Amino acid sequence: GNLVHADAWETTGTHAFGVVSMPSTSDNFKLSYVVKDNALNANGAGVMHDGVYQFINYMTAGSNMYCFCMEYDMATWEEKRGDLCDQSLLANAMAYDYTTKKIFGSFYNKTFSSFEFGRLDFSKKTRETISEIKGRYVAMAIDKEGKLYAISDSGNLLEVNKGTGDSTIVGNTGVLPSTNPSSAAFDYETGELYWTVTDTDNKAGLYEVDVTTGTATLIGIMEDGDQIMGLFVNDPETNPNVPSMPTSFSSVFSKGST
């Protein structure tokens, strides 16, 4: 997961990266650290599955960009992998599908001028393009039955065909996303969809999204303007068909590239 901004960082000049959790209800809503680690930097999007957290990290040096495939053991939060990879793997949203064991994502095209819907093979460090994306997906999530949902830059909840990339509008969330990073995740036990987003009024919050109507309901405001990617619900290490009831969300906070 990824935090690319917190308002306090601008005044303190320091960045507090790491894994955090947040409650799924409005009661005493606040973010709490699970672990702090400046190396957890998923600014190219990432997924959690089977006890590991996999993400793409990128950094710039002058006019050059470098991308890395990173993997962490979620039991210890120790780094298991950090390989140089191609820029084509860079995404703004990803989701893991337990039914196919595939990673789907919204990836930047070659010129970074638009986005492509595709599949990522993390082990081989390759991806394939399925279709071009009209506009921009700000977040993606896949439920335990394998249905892929995306939220568009106009605030629409979409159901996306994983084979063709064709999308159908479920409904509007009522939230207009800004261009800041965003993330979504399913609770496999309840089927609820959660979404972290900063809206065009610069209000950052956690929402629950109704997958039958698209309507988003605010759960809590992130008072420090936190921008989170890589949101996930605490779920089993194997698959969502044997879930334990989650009590909070987790997300990796990380420095964004400028």
Side-chain angles (χ1 to χ4, degrees):
N2 180 30
L3 174 69
V4 296
H5 174 84
D7 292 343
W9 296 2
E10 295 181 351
T11 56
T12 63
T14 59
H15 301 82
F17 314 132
V19 179
V20 301
S21 65
M22 66 188 81
S24 58
T25 65
S26 59
D27 297 337
N28 300 314
F29 185 84
K30 66 177 182 179
L31 277 58
S32 303
Y33 276 98
V34 176
V35 61
K36 291 184 178 181
D37 185 344
N38 286 348
L40 282 163
N41 184 357
N43 53 4
V47 296
M48 176 276 302
H49 68 93
D50 302 311
V52 297
Y53 188 76
Q54 296 173 327
F55 60 90
I56 304 300
N57 164 259
Y58 74 92
M59 61 183 66
T60 56
S63 60
N64 297 316
M65 176 184 290
Y66 303 93
C67 295
F68 301 87
C69 287
M70 306 293 296
E71 181 173 301
Y72 276 74
D73 184 333
M74 294 176 65
T76 62
W77 287 107
E78 294 180 352
E79 182 181 327
K80 297 177 62 177
R81 178 180 179 183
D83 300 335
L84 191 66
C85 61
D86 191 79
Q87 294 180 15
S88 64
L89 307 190
L90 186 61
N92 74 319
M94 288 185 190
Y96 184 80
D97 180 15
Y98 274 98
T99 66
T100 62
K101 300 187 183 301
K102 302 289 186 181
I103 297 172
F104 292 83
S106 167
F107 300 93
Y108 290 90
N109 70 354
K110 291 181 179 180
T111 61
F112 290 86
S113 59
S114 62
F115 294 91
E116 300 172 342
F117 176 65
R119 279 185 295 266
L120 169 66
D121 188 323
F122 196 85
S123 62
K124 295 181 179 179
K125 300 187 294 185
T126 60
R127 78 161 175 93
E128 61 176 306
T129 298
I130 297 172
S131 67
E132 294 184 1
I133 295 174
K134 297 179 180 179
R136 180 172 62 94
Y137 293 163
V138 301
M140 296 173 59
I142 300 176
D143 68 14
K144 69 177 182 179
E145 283 81 28
K147 290 183 179 179
L148 191 154
Y149 293 87
I151 300 174
S152 72
D153 52 2
S154 58
N156 285 324
L157 177 67
L158 311 171
E159 186 172 343
V160 181
N161 184 303
K162 293 179 298 187
T164 65
D166 294 338
S167 63
T168 303
I169 297 177
V170 176
N172 193 270
T173 61
V175 178
L176 187 59
S178 69
T179 56
N180 294 335
S182 178
S183 187
F186 271 100
D187 176 347
Y188 293 125
E189 175 73 13
T190 66
E192 294 169 339
L193 175 62
Y194 296 93
W195 178 33
T196 58
V197 61
T198 303
D199 64 20
T200 52
D201 292 325
N202 206 33
K203 180 176 70 175
L206 171 69
Y207 294 81
E208 180 182 340
V209 181
D210 188 327
V211 296
T212 62
T213 67
T215 302
T217 301
L218 179 66
I219 295 173
I221 294 293
M222 291 180 281
E223 299 291 349
D224 202 22
D226 303 315
Q227 299 168 15
I228 298 175
M229 292 179 68
L231 184 72
F232 58 86
V233 179
N234 292 333
D235 70 350
E237 292 187 358
T238 52
N239 65 67
N241 295 317
V242 286
S244 58
M245 179 64 75
T247 57
S248 62
F249 300 93
S250 292
S251 163
V252 178
F253 275 33
S254 168
K255 183 179 180 180
S257 177
T258 56

